[in-house]
Amino acid sequence: MTARPETPRSRRDRPAKPALTREGIVAAAVAVLRAEGLAKVTMRRLAQELDTGPASLYVYVRNTAELHAAVLDELLGTVGAAPAPEEGDWRARLEAVLTAYVRMLHAHPSLARSALTARPSGPHYLNLIETLLALLDEGGVPPERAAWGVDLLLQHATATAAEHSARGATATGQRDTDADTGSGSDADADWDALTRALHGARDTTHPHIAALAGPLLSGAPEERLAWGIRAVISGIAHTPVPGSD
């Protein structure tokens, strides 16, 4: 007898794919970030992860830059910035919120560097802004200074995270967990070269560097982060916004 051909499997027997949503796309992007680094968070890579075509993703996310900003916003949900910590005065609590923000970025070095230009606009970012404004208001900082100051605080915190992430170190004593950490050996070599250059400066040509080579490189990263935040807060509180006074 002739063997009967194998009966084709009906598509109806296959489990249906979950419907695409922006939340699902961002969740998949965060998973790829944790496993492979931000460089792999692309439309093509997510399309593979979600078993769909890249064109389908553009219905929910305009471009890769918007996707990276959405990933940053999602991870801001781990900062715990809203409500603000209840212990300590307003300056200490503001410092605690920004330190938590830096810690989050340190866990993902490539995201820390991207955050210098990313423009998140999601709920977690709004919560962070609201918390910072509330703490500045509690400290009696005039509203117009607080409005400008929030941007300066986040710029300082983000730049600090990006700098230390590039060196493969953290300002909190944690090790990088992001798969895309770049070349730590190159960053260490650059830092060593800078250290040698500062300590080797001659007082005849660079008297100020020669006198301050030690202090220029002194302090643990967490100490420098805390001091920088305090310095920025003090500047915000005492520097009028043009045209406001």
Side-chain angles (χ1 to χ4, degrees):
M1 295 178 61
T2 304
R4 300 178 64 180
E6 184 179 347
T7 304
R9 182 181 176 186
S10 171
R11 287 179 176 270
R12 296 179 182 272
D13 295 335
R14 300 176 185 175
K17 292 187 296 185
L20 283 176
T21 64
R22 181 181 173 87
E23 293 76 13
I25 292 170
V26 173
V30 170
V32 171
L33 168 72
R34 294 187 189 279
E36 305 174 27
L38 190 68
K40 298 296 184 181
V41 181
T42 64
M43 294 299 194
R44 184 176 298 277
R45 176 68 183 85
L46 287 184
Q48 294 174 351
E49 192 74 14
L50 296 168
D51 191 21
T52 188
S56 300
L57 303 182
Y58 287 100
V59 176
Y60 303 91
V61 183
R62 186 171 65 253
N63 50 41
T64 302
E66 181 181 325
L67 178 62
H68 289 180
V71 168
L72 175 59
D73 183 78
E74 184 69 16
L75 291 175
L76 283 174
T78 67
V79 170
E86 296 182 358
E87 297 182 359
D89 66 11
W90 69 275
R91 290 175 183 266
R93 291 154 62 202
L94 182 54
E95 182 182 326
V97 170
L98 290 168
T99 299
Y101 169 73
V102 172
R103 281 198 186 105
M104 182 276 290
L105 289 179
H106 278 156
H108 307 285
S110 53
L111 184 63
R113 297 188 287 274
S114 175
L116 289 169
T117 56
R119 293 291 180 267
S121 57
H124 298 306
Y125 186 71
L126 294 182
N127 285 343
L128 177 60
I129 297 296
E130 178 66 22
T131 297
L132 298 178
L133 288 172
L135 287 169
L136 290 169
D137 180 60
E138 183 179 328
V141 176
E144 65 279 359
R145 298 184 195 177
W148 282 32
V150 162
D151 188 46
L152 192 59
L153 285 167
L154 288 176
Q155 283 181 10
H156 172 72
T158 303
T160 298
E163 177 189 8
H164 288 285
S165 294
R167 287 171 50 194
T170 71
T172 57
Q174 297 175 333
R175 296 299 301 169
D176 297 331
T177 58
D178 194 308
D180 181 24
T181 58
S183 177
S185 60
D186 288 346
D188 290 342
D190 289 344
W191 179 253
D192 290 342
L194 174 61
T195 299
R196 290 193 299 272
L198 292 176
H199 281 295
R202 301 173 59 184
D203 57 7
T204 55
T205 56
H206 301 87
H208 293 90
I209 294 178
L212 294 172
L216 281 169
L217 299 167
S218 67
E222 64 270 15
E223 293 174 327
R224 295 181 74 97
L225 170 64
W227 182 86
I229 292 173
R230 294 168 197 160
V232 174
I233 293 173
S234 295
I236 292 169
H238 294 95
T239 306
V241 171
S244 62
D245 293 340

